[in-house]
Amino acid sequence: ASLGLYQQAYRVSTLPISEVGEVFNKVTFPTYSKIAEDTERLKKAFLKVTTVISLLVIPFGLTLFFFAREVVLILLGDKWLEATDALKVLAVFGIIKAISNSAYSVFLSVRKQEIVTLITLVGILGLSIPLIPLINKFGIVGAGYATIIGALAGIPVGAYYLLRIFKK
């Protein structure tokens, strides 16, 4: 039952990632690839795209956070109300992930796919290490906390490599 609640909350909270972030990333990759040699243009384009993604996903994520109960009632029905607290936590994850994933197109455009792999690995480690203790202490909300920790763990790695790419 807990897994079902978590899965539904995760599905709703990751809408900004799948609907906004991924669409932008698919569109920006070819553009970034064309300007990959001009790091100043690449940097400006990345910052503009990341700003637009942020302006779209932050209000969506905050709506999910502040109106989680209402969203659950409208989208899932009253049988799923136990997912409300997990949805709040996962809404924060959705915001973080949608914004941080915007860097992936930059890495791929400059042929540094290994950086995406490294960020993913760090994120998995950041998720898996605290997962069991947080689930034991907070239940499905703890699983949500672990996803946030995993998403945050990869950000310094991504930021480091973005700075290296943009300083060329």
Side-chain angles (χ1 to χ4, degrees):
S2 294
L3 181 58
L5 291 169
Y6 182 85
Q7 184 178 24
Q8 290 298 343
Y10 186 88
R11 197 166 51 106
V12 172
S13 72
T14 56
L15 281 174
I17 297 170
S18 59
E19 297 303 320
V20 176
E22 288 182 15
V23 170
F24 269 89
N25 292 335
K26 288 178 184 174
V27 171
T28 57
F29 174 67
T31 304
Y32 289 167
S33 295
K34 289 179 184 174
I35 61 173
E37 299 300 320
D38 186 346
T39 54
E40 192 57 37
R41 275 183 73 197
L42 183 62
K43 179 180 176 181
K44 285 180 183 178
F46 167 73
L47 291 174
K48 284 180 185 178
V49 168
T50 303
T51 300
V52 171
I53 290 171
S54 299
L55 290 172
L56 293 171
V57 300
I58 290 172
F60 182 82
L62 291 176
T63 300
L64 286 178
F65 183 85
F66 289 112
F67 300 103
R69 187 180 198 301
E70 292 79 6
V71 169
V72 168
L73 284 171
I74 291 167
L75 295 179
L76 304 173
D78 60 353
K79 293 178 183 176
W80 295 95
L81 279 175
E82 288 182 64
T84 301
D85 291 337
L87 178 59
K88 286 181 178 184
V89 173
L90 289 168
V92 174
F93 164 74
I95 292 169
I96 294 167
K97 200 67 179 157
I99 295 169
S100 62
N101 281 1
S102 66
Y104 290 4
S105 293
V106 172
F107 298 134
L108 296 174
S109 71
V110 295
R111 298 187 172 131
K112 298 288 185 183
Q113 47 276 35
E114 67 275 6
I115 298 170
V116 175
T117 303
L118 178 61
I119 294 168
T120 303
L121 177 62
V122 170
I124 290 169
L125 290 172
L127 164 76
S128 59
I129 293 169
L131 183 63
I132 300 300
L134 288 173
I135 288 174
N136 287 338
K137 184 155 177 99
F138 301 107
I140 63 171
V141 174
Y145 292 147
T147 61
I148 291 173
I149 293 168
L152 291 173
I155 290 175
V157 177
Y160 170 77
Y161 284 107
L162 279 174
L163 289 173
R164 286 191 59 185
I165 289 167
F166 293 147
K167 284 186 179 183
K168 288 184 180 178

